[in-house]
Amino acid sequence: MFFVTPAYAEEAPAAATGTDAHAAPAAGEVHTETGVAEGGHARGPFPPFDSTTYASQLLWLVITFGVFYLLMQKVIAPRIGAILDQRHTRLSQDVEEAGRLKAEADAAVRTYEGELAAARAKSNAIGTAARDAAKAKAEEDRRAVEASLSEKIKAAEVRIGEIKAKAFADVGTIAEETAAAVIDQLIGGTVAKADVAAAVAAAKKEA
């Protein structure tokens, strides 16, 4: 018969515990990957409220504020100032340009109004001159027509006088011849022309 020695009996539990230790670490051991004790959760205050980190927080606050202040003073503020100056300069230039354009527009309007007034005055003068010239020409034509009519009337009157005188002369001759013919028919004899002429003349005077 074989008997198990105590040494072998001690080694067996050790091997068993070795496999158990590998399977489940003992309580209180820290896991190397997470830094948290096995079998429990980390307990402690929120880091910003941890009094042990106030000094480092204040230091980083001062550093951050200083960097931000330098950044504002050296980079952002100059750029903003340059942009504002550029805008102010551009606005000033725009205002000056607008004023210049307005002055030019006012001058153009004044020039236009002056030229328009001059053109109106010139047109009025031309119209007045044309009207006066037309009136003078009409008056001259009227006088010429009146003179021509007066001459024609005078010539007609002279012609009428000549015709009237000739007619009167012819009437006397016709009257003498008619009276001689009537006497010849009435009394059957001839009468002297002198007597007939004297009778016709006497009849004209009585008429």
Side-chain angles (χ1 to χ4, degrees), residues 72-174:
M72 285 288 295
Q73 186 177 9
K74 300 296 184 181
V75 179
I76 298 176
R79 289 185 180 180
I80 294 175
I83 292 172
L84 292 177
D85 292 338
Q86 184 179 3
R87 286 193 174 184
H88 180 70
T89 303
R90 184 177 297 175
L91 287 174
S92 300
Q93 293 176 354
D94 291 341
V95 170
E96 292 177 358
E97 183 69 13
R100 185 181 64 81
L101 293 176
K102 184 177 182 300
E104 291 180 357
D106 293 339
V109 169
R110 288 193 295 270
T111 303
Y112 170 76
E113 290 178 351
E115 292 179 353
L116 183 61
R120 286 177 178 174
K122 187 176 180 179
S123 64
N124 291 332
I126 292 173
T128 302
R131 185 171 60 252
D132 294 341
K135 288 175 65 177
K137 184 68 169 57
E139 184 67 19
E140 183 179 356
D141 293 342
R142 184 183 65 80
R143 290 177 181 176
V145 170
E146 288 180 354
S148 177
L149 289 175
S150 178
E151 291 177 358
K152 290 181 179 180
I153 289 171
K154 288 180 180 179
E157 288 177 352
V158 171
R159 181 64 178 165
I160 290 170
E162 292 177 354
I163 293 171
K164 186 184 291 186
K166 186 177 180 180
F168 283 153
D170 292 340
V171 166
T173 303
I174 293 171

Side-chain angles (χ1 to χ4, degrees), residues 28-43:
E29 292 182 356
V30 178
H31 198 280
T32 57
E33 294 180 357
T34 60
V36 181
E38 289 290 339
H41 298 285
R43 301 289 177 86

